[in-house]
Amino acid sequence: MKVGLIGVGLMNGSLALDLKSAHPSVTIYGISRRASTLANAKELGLIDHQSTIDEMKDMDFVSIAIPVTATVDILPSVLNAIGPNTLVIDMGSTKTAICESVSEHPKREQFLACHPIAGTEFSGPEAAIRNLYQGKVNMLCETQKTRPDLLKRAHAIFTNLGMHMREIDPSEHDRNIAYVSHLSHITSFMLGKTVMEKEADEQNIFDMAGSGFSSTVRLAKSSPEMWMPIFRQNKHNVIETLDEYISNMEHFKSLLANDDYTTLVEEMKNINKIRHILKPENKTNGK
Amino acid sequence: MKVGLIGVGLMNGSLALDLKSAHPSVTIYGISRRASTLANAKELGLIDHQSTIDEMKDMDFVSIAIPVTATVDILPSVLNAIGPNTLVIDMGSTKTAICESVSEHPKREQFLACHPIAGTEFSGPEAAIRNLYQGKVNMLCETQKTRPDLLKRAHAIFTNLGMHMREIDPSEHDRNIAYVSHLSHITSFMLGKTVMEKEADEQNIFDMAGSGFSSTVRLAKSSPEMWMPIFRQNKHNVIETLDEYISNMEHFKSLLANDDYTTLVEEMKNINKIRHILKPENKTNGK
């Protein structure tokens, strides 16, 4: 199997590690804007060869995992370049704009829009880890537009990685993911900002911040190059989540300011129910 | 050594497990409002005997780990009850009101105000775990008001648990901890609330929420009985952090609404610096 990776960071790098384990005969061709990134990916054993868009014509499977605005820019040219037997997927955290960018493309049926719900706060080839996708969900959009044999191939590859497939409409995906992913990245970034602005003496953070703070602020370590384009492309939905979140914050503040502790406790008890909705941590971590 | 635990949940229960390992001859006396909680603590082997405030007079060491408003209520009576050789500490997440509640007490010198920066989102005796305090920081307030021999005893106990001691003024403690702990609990609760309000179909959360969301919303599982009193007692500082946080949120939203992506990326890059300030996760987890 010949696999082309456009972007060789956390997502495609981790994919490469698992593909190499599952298919010893796979050959992996990598593309990246930065020569140094490609060199790192090669040194880390993620890719076998540096490649070009033109060479994607010989691939069985091409995975695009780059900033979502760049995906929209490059996806039509990738489809132009591929041969008749190539499957192309993307792993972006937004789906509407990406699906729209090739909706009229003559090779639309060779593309499958994916969003594996997997990742860490780290980025780049060095961030690649084994089993990132094990036990995780892969959201698939507009599967009816993908050629059945290629859709079947995608299913086989992802199932082999240990993933569970779910189908979802692109706009529903973007609306929901704004709540369960994009918003939590912004709340983390703003928590980090608020604390850093207050604590001129960094040692105070170091001493007094416990595992709770580390957990809540973890996503503030995420790559701006990857995340700004996501917020930008999903701007309408993200702003809606921010409005609702800020309104909830203001409400909480007013309960506290007005000493309405009965309502405060009631609200917190209601929110506690998230215990039963969330997957257990160890399952979420794919262990 | 005779140890009295007022409150037998996560904090004192975990303390009991480690004290029993470190001092095989320790006998632990537990006090709780709820008979069922005490029974659980005994069944779990956290305490040897159920006890009363009056019996605290024979203890070498009394640890209070209950909601901070209850600590303020009970601390004077505990000091009234103890013998001349008893050390009393509290583990509350606020320090000003607790220190003030006994500032004029004739046995003030037998008390040490502590805040171990340790915990999980779980509560009750079942939440007790070994090595919770290993490698963690214990913030000590007004140590000059504690009798030197008792302060020395406290240091010995905590050092034996693997803790590092830091001294801090109570009001400085409360101001800083509002940022690195209380605020992050509220941002988590409000994230949980915003998502739960939106997603009537809980399966959508289950499917699309990844480890990033789990991490950011983890503290929303925390006990309202424990946390409302903290927000209440530290109201002034907490409202200040909320004002700054909401203002940062509004600013982020306006950058997005105005398509000012250059500034957005610059801000996110600045916040990324928190990578170098935070302790590494494994250290934070005390592993």
Side-chain angles (χ1 to χ4, degrees):
Chain A
M1 185 164 67
K2 281 182 158 191
V3 173
L5 300 181
I6 302 180
V8 291
L10 165 69
M11 301 300 284
N12 265 344
S14 300
L15 178 68
L17 290 173
D18 286 352
L19 287 177
K20 278 170 175 277
S21 299
H23 311 270
S25 69
V26 75
T27 309
I28 297 187
Y29 298 78
I31 297 178
S32 171
R33 274 180 315 166
R34 291 198 195 96
S36 61
T37 306
L38 269 183
N40 280 347
K42 191 139 186 245
E43 204 173 299
L44 290 162
L46 306 176
I47 62 171
D48 299 301
H49 306 286
Q50 302 190 7
S51 192
T52 61
I53 298 289
D54 284 346
E55 286 183 354
M56 294 301 108
K57 68 176 183 298
D58 300 322
M59 301 295 138
D60 301 294
F61 176 49
V62 174
S63 170
I64 306 177
I66 56 180
V68 290
T69 41
T71 301
V72 165
D73 291 340
I74 208 175
L75 183 54
S77 351
V78 175
L79 291 190
N80 289 341
I82 57 175
N85 192 39
T86 307
L87 162 70
V88 177
I89 68 143
D90 88 291
M91 306 228 259
S93 189
T94 56
K95 295 272 69 79
T96 307
I98 290 169
C99 286
E100 277 172 4
S101 75
V102 291
S103 62
E104 304 297 325
H105 196 286
K107 297 188 192 162
R108 171 63 185 86
E109 65 172 13
Q110 290 181 253
F111 172 64
L112 178 63
C114 304
H115 181 199
I117 309 297
T120 73
E121 69 273 35
F122 304 113
S123 52
E126 302 80 5
I129 50 176
R130 283 174 206 284
N131 298 317
L132 177 65
Y133 301 103
Q134 181 66 44
K136 307 294 170 61
V137 168
N138 196 2
M139 310 298 300
L140 310 181
C141 291
E142 300 185 335
T143 53
Q144 77 288 357
K145 295 192 179 177
T146 304
R147 215 170 70 201
D149 63 311
L150 297 177
L151 179 62
K152 203 173 156 189
R153 188 186 301 167
H155 267 271
I157 291 171
F158 295 132
T159 305
N160 211 16
L161 295 176
M163 303 200 84
H164 311 292
M165 259 50 74
R166 296 277 183 282
E167 302 201 2
I168 190 167
D169 173 72
S171 67
E172 194 189 340
H173 169 278
D174 287 3
R175 205 168 52 242
N176 287 344
I177 205 73
Y179 281 88
V180 295
S181 168
H182 305 173
L183 176 59
S184 54
H185 280 77
I186 298 172
T187 67
S188 261
F189 268 100
M190 292 304 103
L191 177 63
K193 182 181 180 186
T194 307
V195 173
M196 289 168 83
E197 281 175 347
K198 187 64 182 180
E199 303 288 353
D201 178 3
E202 295 180 353
Q203 191 59 36
N204 276 332
I205 300 183
F206 186 92
D207 280 354
M208 299 186 66
S211 56
F213 181 71
S214 295
S215 166
T216 320
V217 86
R218 178 167 72 85
L219 299 179
K221 303 176 192 169
S222 302
S223 157
E225 287 83 358
M226 207 54 75
W227 281 94
M228 179 278 277
I230 291 171
F231 303 145
R232 180 178 190 162
Q233 218 170 64
N234 205 20
K235 175 178 161 177
H236 173 77
N237 288 315
V238 169
I239 286 181
E240 189 180 302
T241 69
L242 289 178
D243 280 336
E244 290 169 19
Y245 181 83
I246 292 169
S247 151
N248 282 332
M249 258 306 177
E250 292 280 10
H251 176 67
F252 187 94
K253 195 183 87 175
S254 76
L255 290 177
L256 186 55
N258 297 323
D259 299 312
D260 186 353
Y261 300 110
T262 312
T263 311
L264 208 69
V265 165
E266 263 170 40
E267 288 223 352
M268 291 169 75
K269 280 186 181 169
N270 269 328
I271 302 164
N272 272 173
K273 290 177 190 153
I274 204 158
R275 288 176 193 157
H276 312 297
I277 301 172
L278 279 176
K279 287 178 270 197
E281 295 267 322
N282 58 344
K283 209 175 161 193
T284 313
N285 293 333
K287 284 170 193 162
Chain B
M1 184 162 69
K2 283 183 157 188
V3 172
L5 300 181
I6 302 179
V8 292
L10 166 70
M11 300 301 283
N12 266 345
S14 300
L15 179 68
L17 290 173
D18 286 352
L19 287 177
K20 279 173 174 277
S21 300
H23 311 269
S25 68
V26 75
T27 310
I28 297 187
Y29 298 79
I31 296 178
S32 171
R33 276 180 313 167
R34 290 198 195 96
S36 61
T37 306
L38 268 183
N40 280 347
K42 190 136 186 249
E43 203 172 300
L44 291 162
L46 306 177
I47 63 170
D48 300 301
H49 305 286
Q50 303 191 6
S51 191
T52 62
I53 299 288
D54 284 345
E55 286 183 353
M56 294 299 108
K57 69 176 182 300
D58 300 322
M59 301 294 138
D60 300 293
F61 176 50
V62 174
S63 171
I64 306 176
I66 56 179
V68 291
T69 41
T71 301
V72 164
D73 291 341
I74 209 176
L75 183 55
S77 354
V78 175
L79 291 189
N80 289 341
I82 58 174
N85 192 37
T86 308
L87 163 69
V88 178
I89 68 144
D90 88 291
M91 306 228 259
S93 190
T94 56
K95 294 273 69 80
T96 307
I98 290 170
C99 285
E100 277 172 4
S101 75
V102 290
S103 63
E104 304 297 326
H105 196 285
K107 296 187 190 164
R108 171 64 183 86
E109 64 174 13
Q110 291 180 253
F111 171 64
L112 178 63
C114 304
H115 180 199
I117 309 297
T120 73
E121 68 273 33
F122 304 112
S123 52
E126 302 79 7
I129 50 175
R130 285 174 205 283
N131 298 317
L132 178 65
Y133 300 103
Q134 182 67 44
K136 305 294 171 63
V137 168
N138 196 0
M139 310 297 300
L140 309 181
C141 292
E142 300 185 335
T143 53
Q144 76 287 356
K145 295 191 179 176
T146 305
R147 215 169 69 202
D149 63 312
L150 297 177
L151 180 61
K152 205 173 152 187
R153 188 187 301 166
H155 266 272
I157 291 170
F158 294 132
T159 305
N160 211 15
L161 297 177
M163 303 200 84
H164 311 293
M165 258 51 74
R166 296 278 184 282
E167 302 202 0
I168 190 166
D169 173 74
S171 65
E172 194 189 339
H173 169 277
D174 287 2
R175 205 167 52 243
N176 288 342
I177 206 73
Y179 282 88
V180 295
S181 169
H182 305 173
L183 176 59
S184 52
H185 280 78
I186 298 171
T187 66
S188 261
F189 268 99
M190 292 304 103
L191 177 63
K193 182 180 180 185
T194 307
V195 173
M196 289 167 82
E197 280 175 348
K198 186 65 182 181
E199 302 288 353
D201 177 3
E202 296 180 354
Q203 191 60 35
N204 277 333
I205 300 183
F206 187 91
D207 280 353
M208 298 186 68
S211 57
F213 181 72
S214 296
S215 168
T216 319
V217 86
R218 179 167 69 87
L219 299 179
K221 302 175 192 169
S222 302
S223 157
E225 289 84 358
M226 207 52 77
W227 280 94
M228 180 279 277
I230 291 171
F231 303 146
R232 180 178 190 160
Q233 218 170 63
N234 204 21
K235 175 179 163 177
H236 173 77
N237 288 315
V238 169
I239 286 181
E240 191 182 301
T241 69
L242 289 178
D243 281 335
E244 291 170 18
Y245 181 84
I246 291 169
S247 149
N248 283 331
M249 252 319 174
E250 292 280 11
H251 176 68
F252 187 95
K253 195 184 87 177
S254 76
L255 290 177
L256 187 56
N258 298 321
D259 299 313
D260 185 354
Y261 301 110
T262 313
T263 311
L264 207 71
V265 165
E266 263 171 41
E267 287 222 353
M268 291 169 76
K269 281 186 181 170
N270 268 328
I271 302 164
N272 272 172
K273 291 177 189 154
I274 205 158
R275 288 176 192 158
H276 312 296
I277 301 171
L278 280 177
K279 288 178 270 196
E281 295 267 322
N282 58 345
K283 211 176 158 190
T284 314
N285 292 333
K287 283 173 192 160

